[in-house]
Amino acid sequence: MITHNDQYIAKESLTFPLVLGVIFVMCLYEAINTSETWFIIDVAFFGLILIVYAYKYIRYGRTTLIIDSEAITIKDWGKTKIYYWHDIVNVYTSWNVSYFARFVQRWLSIKTSANGNQHEFHNICLSDLYCRSKSVRNAIEKYAGESRFDYEASQKSKSYVSKIVLTVMVATIIIFICVTCFSE
């Protein structure tokens, strides 16, 4: 996260590619030493993903979120999307449940006005960026004013996801207790 006097910049964290590189090296080591089929398949799989990420970083650079006095800009895979403040109705951060890569993801939700009455919704994933929801909120308040940030929607989203995470934790504990007690 970089904060300049005239803009807020958050770049993509390198955690996933670094972990991917470590897994690739470990699988490569095991594939060389044991010649197991599974390790060879793992090397091919993780190597392919690593090549795609290397291509992305060399060709397009890291995903970047820029918030300044004119707009919110997101640069991802060579595409730049700009949401100007005069088109934005409100903005809020949310926690959404995901069943793919992570269980809970942070999002920046932007509601824009297309032509007066119609609204469009745009989402930017903050989980992949090296930033915190609070710093993004502070940048929005600084450059667009406090009236653009929707505190109520952010709180509702946080409450909803908190309930789901709590339910999953309680269910996991109950299942663990049942398996432990009745396994004898």
Side-chain angles (χ1 to χ4, degrees), residues 47-66:
L48 181 66
I49 295 173
L50 201 58
I51 289 170
V52 169
Y53 264 89
Y55 174 77
K56 176 199 182 266
Y57 288 135
I58 292 168
R59 173 118 176 149
Y60 303 114
R62 291 164 49 185
T63 301
T64 307
L65 170 70
I66 302 170

Side-chain angles (χ1 to χ4, degrees), residues 15-25 46 49-51 53:
T15 307
F16 180 71
L18 290 175
V19 169
L20 188 66
V22 169
I23 293 172
F24 173 75
V25 169
F46 290 116
I49 295 173
L50 201 58
I51 289 170
Y53 264 89

Side-chain angles (χ1 to χ4, degrees), residues 13-178:
S13 68
L14 295 175
T15 307
F16 180 71
L18 290 175
V19 169
L20 188 66
V22 169
I23 293 172
F24 173 75
V25 169
M26 289 172 44
C27 289
L28 185 63
Y29 175 77
E30 289 296 324
I32 291 170
N33 288 338
T34 62
S35 299
E36 291 285 329
T37 307
W38 290 107
F39 289 120
I40 296 169
I41 292 171
D42 289 344
V43 166
F45 177 73
F46 290 116
L48 181 66
I49 295 173
L50 201 58
I51 289 170
V52 169
Y53 264 89
Y55 174 77
K56 176 199 182 266
Y57 288 135
I58 292 168
R59 173 118 176 149
Y60 303 114
R62 291 164 49 185
T63 301
T64 307
L65 170 70
I66 302 170
I67 301 173
D68 58 18
S69 58
E70 295 181 19
I72 296 175
T73 306
I74 185 78
K75 296 178 183 179
D76 188 22
W77 286 85
K79 295 181 243 167
T80 301
K81 296 178 187 174
I82 302 173
Y83 305 105
Y84 292 100
W85 290 117
H86 57 80
D87 294 333
I88 296 175
V89 176
N90 65 15
V91 180
Y92 63 93
T93 56
S94 62
W95 292 84
N96 295 342
V97 176
S98 171
Y99 301 105
F100 181 63
R102 296 179 190 93
F103 184 64
V104 179
Q105 292 181 326
R106 294 178 301 131
W107 290 86
L108 178 66
S109 299
I110 302 171
K111 180 179 176 184
T112 59
S113 175
N115 36 344
N117 295 336
Q118 294 182 356
H119 297 291
E120 294 178 356
F121 296 91
H122 312 277
N123 293 313
I124 299 169
C125 185
L126 295 177
S127 292
D128 297 334
L129 301 174
Y130 185 66
C131 65
R132 296 179 50 169
S133 298
K134 185 177 181 179
S135 60
V136 171
R137 185 186 76 220
N138 290 340
I140 291 168
E141 290 173 350
K142 177 181 178 182
Y143 296 114
E146 293 184 16
S147 62
R148 302 274 180 165
F149 193 81
D150 190 356
Y151 291 99
E152 187 176 325
S154 291
Q155 196 62 22
K156 283 182 184 177
S157 171
K158 187 186 279 186
S159 173
Y160 172 72
V161 171
S162 298
K163 290 176 185 175
I164 290 175
V165 170
L166 181 65
T167 303
V168 168
M169 287 174 39
V170 168
T172 304
I173 291 170
I174 290 173
I175 290 171
F176 178 74
I177 291 171
C178 289

